[in-house]
Amino acid sequence: MALAVALVVTLITLISVGIFVAKVYWFPVDISTHGAAMDHQFLLTLIICGVIFVAAQLGLAYFVWRYRDKGDGRKATYSHGNNKLEATWTIAAAIVFIGLNFLGYNIWAKMHFTGAAPGALKIQVQAQQFAFYFRYPGPDGEFGPTHLEKVDDAIGNFFGLDRAHDQASKDDIVTATLGIPVNRPVELILRSQDVEHSFFVRELRMQQDIVPGMEIPIHFTATEEALKHNGGRYEIVCTQLCGLGHYKMRAFLQVMTEQDYEKWLQTQAAAQ
Ligand SMILES: [Cu+2]
């Protein structure tokens, strides 16, 4: 019996490792300039935890077998703990996890504490139950003011713009797809019309909660890699349970060449 348990534990361990090594459930393609550092950090964490996992599981299997009941009538002995050992592995675990945290913090801080590059393309993202809308400032480079009482989904005024009176709003472009040019820094300004949502694009390695009452900036640059897959089209999903329609709350990110982007933006502008 002990041997069977030891074998099952070993088997589960080897299969688990195999799934990771063979990359059965692995990341989608990375299309952002910051993605490589993030994937590297993830891999480092995975390898360190993986080695500990394998050592612990194989140790468990070994002890199950080694200290099995051999039927020779020997009494079991019990340990009442060993303070030195306890302290050792608690400190070791603390060093590993705090160390990983510091390394990861660097990458996170680069994205969140450092502002977008000057001249980054600014786009507002509005999340609402259950859709995303995007606003481009137009040729004047300025977002017109929003008026809560003018918000009307029925006529497509998701942001509450007053194009008749606000000069800066006249050329604003509101879209249902997030179109961006490749290789150009993009700054998104996230806002919510109602409850908490989240902006998540797996391929950008980017996820940020959107909180009502706040304007949260995030920034990234899509790389050439983005154009090679799926026609440059990637899913944007909401990852905060935001209501009954949460499951279908999504939009698409369309990465284009600079030329295609300009054309696309003109088409969008004409449709306002
Ligand atoms: Cu949502």
Side-chain angles (χ1 to χ4, degrees):
M1 186 60 198
L3 188 63
V5 173
L7 281 177
V8 169
V9 169
T10 307
L11 210 61
I12 290 173
T13 310
L14 294 182
I15 291 172
S16 310
V17 171
I19 288 172
F20 281 100
V21 172
K23 299 189 172 176
V24 177
Y25 306 105
W26 204 243
F27 292 167
V29 59
D30 156 37
I31 62 162
S32 71
T33 47
H34 64 259
M38 203 171 273
D39 288 3
H40 177 262
Q41 173 71 20
F42 182 90
L43 206 63
L44 184 69
T45 307
L46 188 68
I47 289 171
I48 291 174
C49 293
V51 168
I52 296 169
F53 167 76
V54 169
Q57 294 305 302
L58 294 186
L60 175 66
Y62 173 71
F63 283 123
V64 165
W65 174 76
R66 173 79 176 74
Y67 297 104
R68 68 192 184 280
D69 181 2
K70 296 195 181 88
D72 55 5
R74 272 177 51 184
K75 280 211 174 114
T77 53
Y78 296 97
S79 161
H80 291 279
N82 180 325
N83 285 343
K84 251 189 211 159
L85 277 178
E86 291 283 351
T88 306
W89 55 60
T90 305
I91 291 170
I95 290 172
V96 169
F97 285 109
I98 293 171
L100 282 174
N101 216 43
F102 270 113
L103 285 174
Y105 180 81
N106 255 339
I107 297 165
W108 190 85
K110 247 181 232 156
M111 291 170 62
H112 292 272
F113 290 163
T114 314
L121 173 64
K122 271 194 168 64
I123 305 168
Q124 272 187 358
V125 177
Q126 177 165 291
Q128 60 185 76
Q129 289 171 322
F130 299 98
F132 292 98
Y133 294 102
F134 311 94
R135 175 156 75 132
Y136 299 74
D140 68 350
E142 252 185 79
F143 293 109
T146 55
H147 308 276
L148 209 55
E149 69 283 1
K150 297 231 179 270
V151 171
D152 187 353
D153 288 3
I155 56 165
N157 195 356
F158 307 105
F159 284 82
L161 305 185
D162 186 351
R163 293 182 195 271
H165 298 98
D166 298 327
Q167 193 56 36
S169 292
K170 284 196 164 85
D171 61 352
D172 286 7
I173 303 160
V174 176
T175 66
T177 294
L178 176 57
I180 59 159
V182 73
N183 290 335
R184 191 141 128 220
V186 172
E187 180 174 32
L188 302 179
I189 299 133
L190 308 175
R191 44 193 284 163
S192 168
Q193 198 194 77
D194 36 47
V195 299
E196 200 165 313
H197 300 278
S198 189
F199 177 93
F200 180 38
V201 179
R202 298 178 310 159
E203 290 83 355
L204 284 177
R205 306 290 190 268
M206 185 161 257
Q207 184 177 37
Q208 172 63 52
D209 274 6
I210 309 175
V211 183
M214 287 180 80
E215 291 204 323
I216 302 174
I218 54 171
H219 58 91
F220 64 91
T221 304
T223 58
E224 292 284 340
E225 196 63 28
L227 299 175
K228 294 184 197 158
H229 304 269
N230 205 24
R233 195 167 182 261
Y234 302 95
E235 194 182 28
I236 302 166
V237 286
C238 173
T239 44
Q240 279 291 354
L241 185 54
C242 58
L244 281 177
H246 165 68
Y247 71 96
K248 59 171 184 171
M249 178 166 171
R250 66 170 188 173
F252 284 93
L253 165 73
Q254 181 72 49
V255 184
M256 295 169 263
T257 62
E258 191 77 37
Q259 268 182 329
D260 285 350
Y261 168 73
E262 291 302 336
K263 252 189 263 167
W264 174 85
L265 201 60
Q266 275 173 21
T267 317
Q268 297 295 319
Q272 298 298 305

